[in-house]
Amino acid sequence: MHRRLAVRGQVQGVGFRPWVWQQATALGLIGWVRNTSFGVEIDLHGDAALLDTLQERLWQAPAPAKVEQVDVLTATSTTDTSAPTKPFEIQPSVSSPHPHMATIGADLGVCARCLSELFNPDNRRWRHAFINCPQCGPRYTVTRSLPFDRGHTSLARFLPCPTCDAEYKNGADRRFHHQTNTCPECGPRLWLKQTDGSLDEHDPIAAGLKLLREGGILAVKGLGGFHLVCDARQPDAVARLRQRKRRDAKPLAVMMANPASIPPWAPMTPHEQRWLQSAERPIVLLTQSDRAKREMPRVAPDLAWLGVMLPYTPIHFLLFHEAAGRPAGTDWLTRPQEMVMVVTSGNASGSPLVIDNETAQLELAEIADGWLLHDRDILARNDDSVLRVRPDGSACFIRRSRGYAPMPVALPTQPGKSQDEQHLPPSVLAMGALLKSTLCITQGDRAMVSPHVGDLDSVDTRVVFTRMADIWPGWLRTQPDALACDLHPDFFSTILAAHMAHSRASTASGVQALPLIQVQHHHAHVAAVLAEHADEKGVHGPVIGLALDGHGLGSDGMVWGGELLAVQEDQCERLGHLWPLVMPGGDAAVREPWRMAASLLHTLGRTKEIGVRFASIQQSGLLQQWLSQSTTPGAASGKSPVTHGHAQTTSLGRLFDAAAGLLNVLAPYTQSRFEAEAAMRLESLASTCWPAEPLNGGWQITDELVLDWRPLMNWLADQGDTAQAAAVFHATVAAALADWAAQACARRGLNTVVLSGGCLANRLLDDALYSSLIAQGLRVWRPAQYPCGDGGLSLGQAWVARQRLIKQDPCASPYQPA
């Protein structure tokens, strides 16, 4: 019996071929296994029952392998005289000019078996800073091209020593056919460079720890880029890091040796511990303890949450190991350790993550006191992922990157057509928006979202983003059939998408420009969640969407951000919105929450209070005068106020800013020092009095489905207990939004609500809103695999554009006014 199989999924760079070899050999089958452009191909000869057994076992491949599809390419029941007679083997990889459908594994933290070798003085990999195996270590960040073979990675220059080569060829060894295998004899090397140019290659880990204990700042080359590290328990060291990096108040993440070390600083739930200990090793936002606030006051000042992660590279583990006194074995990892390190992205403020030694020594020279360097090149940036854990154990991603990107999400197949007929559905390259940028490319029945790139307001980040947009399609050998972007004409991502679309045009060859599909910002937010929850047949029926964020250009040219939508695939109808507010000073109102509070007071008919409430702010009197003379509060219908050219918004994010301004949560400052600081501090303040009851009569919903928040804000403006007021504000907003969505469901005869947008990063709002909707018998979908904020927009854009291409109508407008 002969059978040839094609296997798709995460099956390259994860030890899948060696595992197949072991299974086939144990069953007495002959044939071969090899990597291909689409995944793994297996050629088998043997008894039919044994072939069935192996085929069934493929679905049980050990993690991190994940089989998604097994196709039978050839099956014959007659005796094949050309069948191989030699034992089952792993053949060299084969490539083709066709699109690469193989999935490259994400970068994973050091596994338990490697740790046992790392800390065993009798093991040849004792304290080897680059230990890894098929179950752990770098994948995406060291990959130059596919299929995944050593020669296609940054390990190609390190020729295996005889012992490593013997492991590679030994079918009984756990590193059998492991492509990135190294040891101290043949692998990369580690060294410490001081600011005076001196090098320590003898014991760079000990030298690095000494620098940290002396209050220094160490630049550490990691998996997907550099980290800046200091001792979190030395406030002066943290202050120097903030001053040198020009990061005055934005919270920093900390790394602790093990779960046993965390509770004194941040109590955690079993769900949170599970995410912390996962192979992906994200930063998890935990509740900050009083001790942490007292002893690490500069790490996450004035916030309720502390970003915590566990070590995931051998270098991280070795620093903690050295601090513990270099004990033998792994028992020390079960006991609390005193050392706590600040570990933050290795870049100057606003610049992209640094990934190479030369750039690190130039760009971080004014920040770092030393560099812990190595000579294994990082080929792709991949910053740390950040998430918080919901009560049900699901994740709300703030940033999806290392450990998760670029793992794909499955998309529905083309309805009404067989797989053979459709072959590969149209491919889309989606460009995201302006902040927290990512790219997304669709390929067949999957979409891949890039690691976090960052905000596209700096030249250096734009260069990185442009390079990624150029490289990703070539990396996958997939040329997009269309590009997708935001509606905003001034976003760099929109400008780049238009350029890329038109650059394909050629008068001489007759090639036309690619379709450029612009997707409204909040439609994309909802669509990203639809992409997560779609099955192989798609999403059945329309949904009600709540898109809640700080800013997005609406189809009417207004600034949206508190939107009630009806969405079905590529179609979006705006059903309602929050009561609008003027944004005095435009973008200045985003940075200075008191401006939104002043606008709010004017909307409430309390304009005369502005100068009194904000007497310490020089511009407050002028703003009061301007509002009095230049605007007229909105009519009872909730239509936009007359503002004579000044920006208006329906944004929930700006309403949070207005509440923060009324309660003066930024005192003694009048400006936010980082994005969303006012809202984050308002949430932290509310958490001290949580849970709270919503304000009775705190909102109204008009016949036009405009959510009128004025009763709540009129009450809030008179409150003296700011913490209790902040809690009631959160509870009332959540209850109002739930009521709003439920009314829309009742009017449309629907029962599914999609929650999306950056405001869902707020733990109190997200949990209260979800619980209220569930209590009303509605089905609720939230983002759980991709960021709730703009980091997920590219996925939503790709979803909408792909649906329109499948319908062969890329230019029709999908937007309907309220």
Side-chain angles (χ1 to χ4, degrees):
M1 187 75 181
H2 171 233
R3 193 176 301 173
R4 183 171 292 185
L5 306 175
V7 185
R8 282 187 56 194
Q10 187 177 338
V11 291
Q12 292 194 15
V14 290
F16 183 73
R17 287 180 300 164
W19 179 81
V20 170
W21 180 92
Q22 291 166 350
Q23 300 302 309
T25 300
L27 291 170
L29 300 174
I30 56 176
W32 47 259
V33 61
R34 66 187 182 188
N35 280 344
T36 69
S37 297
F38 59 79
V40 165
E41 193 172 21
I42 308 172
D43 194 78
L44 299 166
H45 296 262
D47 181 78
L50 295 177
L51 296 186
D52 290 341
T53 298
L54 178 62
Q55 188 170 336
E56 292 169 3
R57 286 184 184 177
L58 294 177
W59 296 97
Q60 303 164 16
K66 183 180 179 182
V67 173
E68 297 172 356
Q69 183 176 325
V70 179
D71 294 321
V72 179
L73 302 180
T74 304
T76 58
S77 57
T78 58
T79 302
D80 187 355
T81 57
S82 63
T85 57
K86 58 184 178 180
F88 195 88
E89 64 179 350
I90 298 177
Q91 288 193 348
S93 300
V94 294
S95 189
S96 73
H98 302 298
H100 278 308
M101 299 300 292
T103 298
I104 184 61
D107 305 301
L108 301 177
V110 187
C111 70
R113 293 184 70 180
C114 282
L115 287 177
S116 67
E117 296 174 348
L118 184 66
F119 300 127
N120 179 359
D122 298 324
N123 190 281
R124 72 189 193 93
R125 289 187 174 88
W126 180 57
R127 302 183 73 235
H128 177 45
F130 307 96
I131 191 170
N132 68 90
C133 75
Q135 278 68 52
C136 69
R139 296 295 185 272
Y140 169 71
T141 53
V142 297
T143 300
R144 184 170 284 109
S145 62
L146 295 172
F148 186 82
D149 289 309
R150 191 183 188 97
H152 295 162
T153 73
S154 59
L155 277 297
R157 58 188 287 249
F158 301 100
L159 298 179
C161 67
T163 308
C164 283
D165 190 53
E167 291 175 336
Y168 182 86
K169 295 175 179 177
N170 180 2
D173 195 282
R174 75 186 193 93
R175 291 187 173 88
F176 174 49
H177 248 268
H178 178 45
Q179 300 301 310
T180 56
N181 192 22
T182 67
C183 76
E185 294 299 318
C186 61
R189 64 187 183 93
L190 183 73
W191 68 95
L192 181 83
K193 184 174 182 179
Q194 304 277 4
T195 52
D196 62 5
S198 61
L199 302 179
D200 188 323
E201 299 179 274
H202 172 66
D203 199 342
I205 293 294
L209 178 66
K210 180 176 182 291
L211 187 151
L212 292 174
R213 283 178 163 167
E214 291 174 350
I217 299 167
L218 185 63
V220 179
K221 189 176 184 180
L223 271 183
F226 275 78
H227 281 135
L228 291 167
V229 180
C230 72
D231 187 341
R233 301 183 66 180
Q234 295 189 44
D236 289 346
V238 180
R240 279 193 295 274
L241 175 59
R242 287 194 173 281
Q243 185 271 327
R244 293 178 185 180
K245 198 177 178 184
R246 288 174 287 186
R247 184 169 170 164
D248 294 341
K250 189 175 181 179
L252 300 165
V254 296
M255 180 179 285
M256 302 184 198
N258 51 38
S261 304
I262 296 175
W265 311 104
M268 57 186 168
T269 66
H271 287 314
E272 289 169 336
Q273 182 169 340
R274 175 175 59 84
W275 280 96
L276 278 163
Q277 290 184 278
S278 67
E280 293 81 6
R281 293 295 168 101
I283 297 171
V284 178
L285 300 181
L286 304 177
T287 302
Q288 190 170 190
S289 70
D290 290 338
R291 180 183 175 186
K293 295 175 183 178
R294 183 175 62 254
E295 296 185 22
M296 301 189 297
R298 298 299 303 272
V299 173
D302 302 306
L303 298 179
W305 325 116
L306 179 67
V308 178
M309 62 177 154
L310 295 174
Y312 58 86
T313 71
I315 294 174
H316 296 149
F317 277 104
L318 287 170
L319 286 169
F320 283 108
H321 181 242
E322 191 71 19
R326 203 179 289 187
T330 57
D331 286 349
W332 68 279
L333 283 173
T334 65
R335 298 188 295 270
Q337 303 296 316
E338 289 296 314
M339 185 174 179
V340 181
M341 299 190 298
V342 166
V343 178
T344 190
S345 301
N347 60 318
S349 182
S351 297
L353 183 67
V354 174
I355 62 173
D356 66 273
N357 294 348
E358 183 178 353
T359 304
Q361 292 172 76
L362 289 173
E363 294 192 4
L364 306 181
E366 296 183 0
I367 303 176
D369 298 308
W371 294 263
L372 198 54
L373 304 171
H374 59 74
D375 54 358
R376 185 184 69 199
D377 291 339
I378 299 171
L379 302 181
R381 286 174 176 81
N382 214 353
D383 212 340
D384 294 316
S385 296
V386 183
L387 59 85
R388 62 172 178 79
V389 182
R390 298 179 175 124
D392 64 2
S394 66
C396 177
F397 276 89
I398 312 301
R399 182 169 72 204
R400 179 185 180 271
S401 207
R402 179 193 48 77
Y404 304 96
M407 299 304 295
V409 61
L411 298 177
T413 54
Q414 207 165 328
K417 294 186 179 181
S418 70
Q419 185 70 27
D420 289 340
E421 287 175 323
Q422 72 177 36
H423 189 49
L424 290 179
S427 176
V428 175
L429 179 62
M431 309 294 279
L434 179 68
L435 303 178
K436 304 174 182 66
S437 295
T438 59
L439 291 166
C440 178
I441 188 167
T442 68
Q443 185 190 53
D445 58 358
R446 63 182 186 166
M448 283 155 289
V449 178
S450 75
H452 167 84
V453 177
D455 299 345
L456 299 180
D457 49 8
S458 77
V459 173
D460 290 343
T461 307
R462 291 177 178 183
V463 169
V464 169
F465 185 78
T466 302
R467 178 172 171 77
M468 182 178 286
D470 288 337
I471 287 176
W472 259 48
W475 191 56
L476 296 168
R477 293 186 182 171
T478 296
Q479 291 305 314
D481 299 298
L483 285 101
C485 63
D486 196 85
L487 281 182
H488 202 300
D490 297 331
F491 284 175
F492 176 77
S493 56
T494 304
I495 296 168
L496 178 61
H499 170 75
M500 293 180 69
H502 288 287
S503 67
R504 288 289 303 274
S506 170
T507 304
S509 63
V511 176
Q512 296 182 340
L514 292 177
L516 178 63
I517 301 174
Q518 292 187 275
V519 182
Q520 197 278 323
H521 193 91
H522 301 94
H523 182 189
H525 270 311
V526 175
V529 184
L530 296 185
E532 280 195 38
H533 289 82
D535 60 23
E536 63 181 10
K537 296 180 181 179
V539 176
H540 302 286
V543 300
I544 295 299
L546 282 178
L548 311 168
D549 66 0
H551 175 277
L553 182 65
S555 55
D556 60 357
M558 185 175 167
V559 179
W560 292 4
E563 308 308 313
L564 183 68
L565 307 172
V567 177
Q568 183 168 16
E569 296 183 347
D570 66 315
Q571 300 298 309
C572 178
E573 180 183 357
R574 190 190 196 197
L575 302 180
H577 54 78
L578 296 185
W579 195 278
L581 266 177
V582 178
M583 291 177 62
D587 288 343
V590 179
R591 298 186 298 270
E592 303 174 32
W594 72 270
R595 290 178 178 269
M596 293 307 305
S599 176
L600 180 95
L601 289 170
H602 176 65
T603 299
L604 297 173
R606 301 170 65 164
T607 312
K608 293 181 180 179
E609 296 180 25
I610 296 172
V612 177
R613 280 180 177 267
F614 306 111
S616 62
I617 301 173
Q618 185 175 1
Q619 305 100 311
S620 62
L622 292 175
L623 183 56
Q624 176 179 320
Q625 183 180 1
W626 175 82
L627 287 168
S628 299
Q629 297 175 353
S630 302
T631 68
T632 303
S637 64
K639 296 298 182 182
S640 303
V642 179
T643 60
H644 301 285
H646 285 264
Q648 308 159 55
T649 183
T650 56
S651 163
L652 182 63
R654 298 292 78 80
L655 187 65
F656 268 78
D657 286 344
L662 280 181
L663 298 179
N664 199 24
V665 302
L666 289 181
Y669 305 100
T670 60
Q671 292 190 18
S672 292
R673 292 164 292 174
F674 59 90
E675 183 194 3
E677 180 185 12
M680 290 169 66
R681 289 181 64 169
L682 184 71
E683 177 193 8
S684 295
L685 191 64
S687 69
T688 63
C689 294
W690 194 257
E693 291 296 319
L695 179 68
N696 186 31
W699 70 92
Q700 297 174 352
I701 298 172
T702 71
D703 292 340
E704 294 82 12
L705 284 177
V706 174
L707 178 55
D708 184 356
W709 37 256
R710 289 179 299 174
L712 167 64
M713 303 309 282
N714 207 31
W715 172 87
L716 191 73
D718 294 327
Q719 300 310 299
D721 185 343
T722 56
Q724 182 63 32
V728 171
F729 169 79
H730 278 76
T732 307
V733 168
L737 291 170
D739 184 20
W740 195 31
Q743 287 196 31
C745 284
R747 291 193 190 188
R748 290 296 178 108
L750 303 176
N751 73 334
T752 301
V753 178
V754 170
L755 305 179
S756 61
C759 288
L760 294 183
N762 184 308
R763 185 187 305 253
L764 308 185
L765 175 68
D766 183 28
D767 293 345
L769 176 54
Y770 176 81
S771 298
S772 182
L773 288 166
I774 291 294
Q776 297 182 64
L778 296 169
R779 180 171 61 175
V780 184
W781 289 345
R782 295 183 287 183
Q785 300 178 56
Y786 293 86
C788 59
D790 286 4
L793 277 177
S794 62
L795 175 61
Q797 293 168 350
W799 166 270
V800 172
R802 182 177 183 268
Q803 296 297 320
R804 293 178 65 185
L805 287 173
I806 289 173
K807 292 180 179 180
Q808 298 182 339
D809 189 17
C811 298
S813 173
Y815 302 113
Q816 301 178 37

